[in-house]
Amino acid sequence: MGVITASLPDSVQQLNGLLDTHHENWHFTWLEWLCSQLPQVRVALVVADEAQSGQFHSVAVWPEEGGQDKLLLDATEETLKKKQPLILPLNDGKHHIGSYPVFVDGALRAVVTLMLSAEDETELHKALALIEYCAGWLELRLSRNLLSVVARDNQRQHIVIDSIAYVLGERDFEHAALRFVNLMGQNLDAERVVLGFVKNAELEVHSQSDSSGHSKKHELVKLTTQAMQEAVDQQESILWPELDDHNRVTHAHSQLASEKGQRALMTVPLVDKESCYGAVLFDRPSEHPFTREEQLTAEALTNFVGVVLEEKRQSSLPLYAYIFRSIKNQLSLLLGPGHLGRKITLFCLLLLSIFFSLMPGHYNISADAVIEGAELRSIVVPYDGYLQKATLRAGDTLKKGELLAELDTRELRLQLMSWVNQEATSRRKYEEALARSERTQVQINKAQSQRARAEIELLEYQISQAAMKAPFDALIVSGDLSQRIGTLVRQGDVLFELSPRSDFRLAMYVDEFRINDIRQGQTGQLVLSALPDQKFSFNVTRINPMAEVIEGATVYRVEADFENRDEMLRVGLEGVSQIYVDDRLLISIWTRGLIDWMKLWLWRFWG
């Protein structure tokens, strides 16, 4: 490509113009110097995005009296799309358009486009290399602008953070508001700073900076309030004197500035979540009008520090005012524009409330339930003895008369034989004494014979009770003696508990808050945990008046009989029952518990 032969600016004035990167005509100075290095250039254009907003604008055209050629603009747009250098030949074969992008920190910030004449491709590449060389000055300006923007943003962030810390450090809202206006006056070099809050759609002045030497006469306060209200109504910052691009209503600000002898004013509204709750007014001499950068700093302070101050103000309000404000805000969101989701939700809730307030439904009381046998028979040990036989256990079914368990009777039979012999001996002696007319001996032998007979009858009865049999067709509810064969059992020990196989009753445990709605004869349905797909109907037969405590809850036992016997029912099955009471409005059914709780709560505190 050859050696780049670009030279430094040929005059001190031109060099100073390039070094002064903040000069408003810097781009034309640079472009003029660039074109002086390329005599074959016909026209040149520079577009740049100095505001870093993504919008590129024309900043310089050479020659100065020339216009923006459409071919240059098309080549610039193509370079912005492709983000790479571009060379386009024209139809005459002598002229070309060269376009070069300029990057800063990897982001496209400017494009330089020239129309020049070149004899061959080598000369074109030399021209493009020269543009790249000279573009270093353009990169320098853009980099300095970027650094200055970053520095201003960092400074603004430090001011905001320090101000938030100072405001949070105050013990109450009044001191925090005074500290806020003083900090705003120091950071923006304002003689007077006024803080006001919106109350009932009207702004009221709350605090002024203590550095203000202005009087608080009524006319001045009135004009200040009107100027701040002007910014609140528009929800936009207002500057006076106005900037070129400042398109706001400023009538109240002009009146306030004239009243005080032509002052510079700036009012920034306090906005949080689309709601304007106040405003801040800055006042200083007209010789120092507020700039765009000061406006950005003021808006940053009010947006962040103002929210903190508003939180302190809300926390200092009495409870009734806080509740009223919250209700008012919610109503404004519901009745005002926007917030379609809230409105749809409220409309649906109203429709549901109306529907449930007019629609009747079945009032059922739910309760935990368990199936019990209609009778529970205990099989107990008739006398002390040793267990000889027991093959059944809990869960087995048996028919009436079927053997449950049997005790060892060998010892009883031996005793029975002994008493039989004694009875025979006593009877024989009784007959002999009777034959000899020995009246005393007759009575003794007769008594011994009667005693022996009593013992024999007792032993025979015990032997007959040794085999314990089922008194009816039953299901063994509890008892397992298979591991106790041969062990000693005592009289009265429970060996088995039996329940009828086909005779059940349902035990339900109703909460104490609902027991007054239960009556005998009411019907209901039962769903068992083991059979969730089936429902069993029942009738309430008995209500136990004594309360019980089960798992920390006070309940009453309610008994019921099944309407139809079902082979699937078994003693011990648990589930959930619903007792039908009557038909009521759905809203009264679902709010019954809440209403009862509120009645008790009110009675507890107010009687």
Side-chain angles (χ1 to χ4, degrees):
M1 293 180 60
V3 181
I4 299 174
T5 58
S7 61
L8 293 172
D10 53 4
S11 66
V12 175
Q13 183 178 1
Q14 192 175 30
L15 179 60
N16 291 335
L18 291 176
L19 291 176
D20 186 10
T21 56
H22 296 286
H23 196 276
E24 59 182 3
N25 291 326
W26 184 91
H27 291 96
F28 181 77
T29 302
W30 175 83
L31 186 59
E32 185 179 29
W33 170 65
L34 171 64
C35 293
S36 67
Q37 307 297 317
L38 298 169
Q40 65 272 38
V41 174
R42 304 292 181 180
V43 63
L45 171 68
V46 178
V47 297
D49 177 23
E50 293 194 326
Q52 303 179 29
S53 61
Q55 301 294 328
F56 287 83
H57 305 279
S58 175
V59 295
V61 179
W62 185 90
E64 190 172 7
E65 65 275 3
Q68 298 180 9
D69 192 279
K70 185 177 185 305
L71 296 175
L72 295 182
L73 293 176
D74 293 341
T76 301
E77 291 181 1
E78 190 69 20
T79 304
L80 289 174
K81 292 179 182 179
K82 296 183 177 180
K83 297 183 179 181
Q84 60 184 9
L86 183 66
I87 298 178
L88 298 174
L90 300 181
N91 294 333
D92 58 5
K94 294 181 180 181
H95 293 85
H96 297 75
I97 293 180
S99 186
Y100 180 79
V102 179
F103 294 88
V104 177
D105 290 340
L108 181 62
R109 291 285 179 241
V111 176
V112 183
T113 307
L114 304 92
M115 180 187 292
L116 47 82
S117 59
E119 298 295 336
D120 52 23
E121 187 176 350
T122 303
E123 191 172 353
L124 282 174
H125 284 289
K126 286 183 179 180
L128 196 60
L130 184 62
I131 295 173
E132 182 178 1
Y133 173 77
C134 295
W137 289 91
L138 185 56
E139 291 183 23
L140 174 64
R141 175 186 169 85
L142 294 172
S143 298
R144 285 184 176 181
N145 288 347
L146 178 61
L147 289 176
S148 63
V149 171
V150 173
R152 287 195 299 269
D153 290 342
N154 289 337
Q155 183 181 10
R156 192 176 295 122
Q157 290 175 4
H158 286 302
I159 293 174
V160 170
I161 293 173
D162 292 342
S163 301
I164 291 176
Y166 284 127
V167 171
L168 288 175
E170 296 297 334
R171 64 180 181 271
D172 55 28
F173 167 68
E174 297 297 333
H175 290 83
L178 186 59
R179 173 60 69 90
F180 174 73
V181 294
N182 289 332
L183 288 173
M184 299 290 276
Q186 295 172 10
N187 293 324
L188 292 167
D189 193 23
E191 290 184 359
R192 185 173 73 121
V193 179
V194 183
L195 171 65
F197 292 98
V198 175
K199 184 177 181 180
N200 298 327
E202 297 291 335
L203 187 133
E204 296 181 359
V205 174
H206 182 273
S207 303
Q208 295 192 46
S209 57
D210 54 8
S211 61
S212 173
H214 304 275
S215 63
K216 296 184 179 179
K217 60 181 182 179
H218 175 73
E219 187 63 26
L220 178 60
V221 174
K222 179 180 178 181
L223 292 174
T224 301
T225 303
Q226 292 176 353
M228 297 174 71
Q229 185 70 48
E230 193 172 55
V232 169
D233 293 339
Q234 300 177 71
Q235 293 194 12
E236 295 285 350
S237 300
I238 297 179
L239 277 70
W240 181 267
E242 299 180 82
L243 300 179
D244 294 338
D245 58 344
H246 195 268
N247 186 17
R248 305 282 187 275
V249 178
T250 58
H251 178 70
H253 283 75
S254 64
Q255 286 187 334
L256 178 61
S258 300
E259 175 72 17
K260 298 190 62 181
Q262 296 303 324
R263 306 284 292 182
L265 304 174
M266 178 173 62
T267 304
V268 181
L270 301 174
V271 181
D272 181 29
K273 298 179 180 178
E274 302 180 359
S275 175
C276 186
Y277 59 89
V280 183
L281 183 140
F282 302 87
D283 181 6
R284 69 186 183 191
S286 59
E287 294 80 11
H288 303 287
F290 291 98
T291 63
R292 180 68 67 187
E293 289 299 324
E294 289 177 323
Q295 179 186 350
L296 294 176
T297 301
E299 290 176 349
L301 285 168
T302 54
N303 287 337
F304 293 98
V305 186
V307 172
V308 176
L309 189 64
E310 175 66 6
E311 291 294 332
K312 274 186 170 290
R313 186 173 79 96
Q314 295 299 327
S315 62
S316 64
L317 293 175
L319 180 60
Y320 70 88
Y322 184 80
I323 295 175
F324 175 77
R325 179 179 178 273
S326 299
I327 295 175
K328 182 180 178 181
N329 290 338
Q330 294 300 322
L331 289 177
S332 64
L333 293 176
L334 290 174
L335 302 179
H339 304 285
L340 183 60
R342 287 174 178 259
K343 293 179 174 60
I344 294 176
T345 302
L346 178 61
F347 181 72
C348 294
L349 290 176
L350 288 176
L351 286 181
L352 289 175
S353 300
I354 295 173
F355 174 78
F356 292 134
S357 299
L358 301 176
M359 179 61 64
H362 297 314
Y363 175 37
N364 297 317
I365 297 178
S366 299
D368 295 333
V370 60
I371 297 179
E372 298 177 349
E375 178 184 354
L376 189 64
R377 181 75 63 87
S378 295
I379 304 300
V380 299
V381 179
Y383 55 86
D384 294 347
Y386 294 91
L387 189 63
Q388 182 177 359
K389 184 179 181 181
T391 59
L392 301 178
R393 63 183 68 181
D396 292 340
T397 59
L398 65 164
K399 295 183 178 181
K400 180 178 179 180
E402 188 173 344
L403 182 65
L404 284 167
E406 187 176 2
L407 300 178
D408 188 359
T409 60
R410 288 177 294 180
E411 184 177 352
L412 294 177
R413 294 183 184 279
L414 292 175
Q415 293 179 9
L416 178 61
M417 293 176 61
S418 175
W419 283 107
V420 169
N421 292 331
Q422 289 185 22
E423 181 190 19
T425 303
S426 298
R427 181 171 294 277
R428 181 172 47 82
K429 289 182 179 180
Y430 167 76
E431 293 176 351
E432 292 176 354
L434 184 62
R436 292 193 299 269
S437 299
E438 296 177 358
R439 303 182 64 178
T440 302
Q441 195 65 35
V442 168
Q443 294 297 327
I444 293 174
N445 292 331
K446 183 179 179 180
Q448 290 177 348
S449 176
Q450 291 176 347
R451 179 195 174 197
R453 171 47 55 183
E455 292 288 345
I456 291 172
E457 291 177 355
L458 175 62
L459 290 172
E460 287 177 346
Y461 173 77
Q462 290 178 341
I463 293 173
S464 66
Q465 294 297 313
M468 290 164 279
K469 299 179 180 180
F472 46 77
D473 294 346
L475 170 70
I476 300 179
V477 177
S478 65
D480 183 4
L481 305 177
S482 59
Q483 306 295 323
R484 298 181 59 186
I485 302 299
T487 60
L488 177 65
V489 290
R490 298 291 184 181
Q491 183 179 4
D493 290 348
V494 178
L495 300 181
F496 297 97
E497 289 185 340
L498 307 181
S499 175
R501 284 191 300 177
S502 59
D503 193 7
F504 305 110
R505 67 183 177 191
L506 182 64
M508 297 171 288
Y509 298 93
V510 180
D511 191 271
E512 60 177 337
F513 290 100
R514 296 290 179 268
I515 192 62
N516 286 334
D517 294 331
I518 304 298
R519 300 289 184 272
Q520 289 186 6
Q522 290 176 336
T523 60
Q525 290 184 322
L526 169 71
V527 174
L528 298 172
S529 301
L531 301 170
D533 297 331
Q534 295 187 16
K535 296 180 180 179
F536 303 93
S537 300
F538 60 83
N539 294 315
V540 176
T541 57
R542 184 175 185 272
I543 302 173
N544 191 340
M546 302 300 295
E548 303 178 26
V549 178
I550 299 178
E551 296 181 356
T554 303
V555 296
Y556 285 83
R557 179 185 172 95
V558 177
E559 297 179 1
D561 288 338
F562 289 99
E563 293 182 354
N564 298 312
R565 307 298 179 183
D566 195 291
E567 295 181 355
M568 303 298 295
L569 297 177
R570 293 289 186 273
V571 175
L573 292 179
E574 297 181 354
V576 177
S577 63
Q578 286 194 344
I579 305 172
Y580 173 73
V581 179
D582 54 22
D583 287 342
R584 301 183 183 182
L585 295 178
L586 292 176
I587 191 70
S588 65
I589 295 174
W590 293 346
T591 58
R592 172 72 181 276
L594 178 62
I595 293 174
D596 290 346
W597 177 84
M598 291 182 63
K599 289 179 178 178
L600 289 175
W601 187 81
L602 292 173
W603 171 258
R604 179 180 291 113
F605 287 97
W606 281 283

